[in-house]
Amino acid sequence: MTLLSDAELLGENRAPIPRPQGSAAAPYDLLLLDRDGTLNVRRPGYVDDPEDLVLLPGAARTVAAANAAGCAVVLVSNQRGIATGTLTRPQLLAVHRALVSQLAGAGAWLDAIQVCPHEDRTCDCRKPRAGLLREALRRAHWASGRRSLMVGDQPGDLAAAAAAGVPSVQVGGPDPSLWAVGQKMFGGNASRV
């Protein structure tokens, strides 16, 4: 389990992501996860209060299964509200602390967090651009994009993955949940966590 600094929780850390124990046998090097609509319930506007962060059914168990399988789990999230002033850094920090706490309740953890705090069309990191995923791969120098997987609920998540050379799966709507995807990725291990 990785303890995340405030800089990591805000997506500002650029230090290397350590290779997890048991990763040689892991099905993926990195499991890259979108946040809203993938890990937690998407709501109008921004999740700016920890009380509003509600994990989707089975999401924490899927992350725990990925951890147990030796995958490094990295959150990759656009948070444009920082640029527009509708979300503050302290609010984002509190929400990510709540996320880490809720995951820990299921024995799950994030190894790193990548955040784009920028306005539309002002950077290379905002999904659907590939910058967040490329930075995660740069930080995890031991990881291969081809041996990683991006899971998200928006077309921009899939476009960012394609631009970074990372396979992807879309969840939400009529498509499967993260839990259903996790069952396929990790078999029965996800249900035993």
Side-chain angles (χ1 to χ4, degrees):
M1 181 170 158
T2 305
L3 295 177
L4 302 180
S5 67
D6 286 357
E8 190 73 61
L9 290 169
L10 290 168
E12 298 170 351
N13 193 356
R14 299 297 174 252
I17 299 169
R19 188 176 192 146
Q21 285 188 296
S23 62
Y28 303 99
D29 291 341
L30 299 179
L31 178 59
L32 301 152
L33 297 175
D34 176 54
R35 195 187 78 185
D36 301 330
T38 303
L39 277 176
N40 60 279
V41 175
R42 180 178 291 284
R43 59 182 295 275
Y46 295 95
V47 179
D48 58 6
D49 185 329
E51 298 293 320
D52 294 334
L53 183 79
V54 178
L55 291 183
L56 288 163
R61 287 187 290 165
T62 301
V63 173
N67 299 142
C71 301
V73 181
V74 180
L75 181 73
V76 289
S77 182
N78 288 345
Q79 293 297 322
R80 182 176 148 248
I82 299 288
T84 64
T86 55
L87 178 68
T88 66
R89 290 174 76 249
Q91 287 172 319
L92 181 61
L93 183 60
V95 168
H96 282 174
R97 282 182 179 149
L99 174 62
V100 166
S101 177
Q102 288 183 39
L103 289 172
W109 66 88
L110 299 172
D111 293 282
I113 297 176
Q114 299 295 143
V115 170
C116 172
H118 305 117
E119 184 59 83
D120 286 335
R121 295 178 291 282
T122 63
C123 66
D124 290 329
C125 59
R126 182 173 174 76
K127 295 179 288 180
R129 291 179 182 89
L132 288 177
L133 284 74
R134 287 189 178 132
E135 179 63 9
L137 287 163
R138 184 201 65 76
R139 291 180 64 196
H141 61 86
W142 47 268
S144 163
R146 288 171 289 142
R147 280 196 32 83
S148 298
L149 182 69
M150 172 71 205
V151 182
D153 70 317
Q154 298 294 310
D157 297 320
L158 307 184
V166 174
S168 62
V169 174
Q170 187 171 9
V171 297
D175 297 317
S177 65
L178 179 58
W179 172 244
V181 170
Q183 291 285 24
K184 290 179 185 172
M185 291 187 311
F186 307 109
N189 292 334
S191 61
R192 290 194 299 269
V193 174

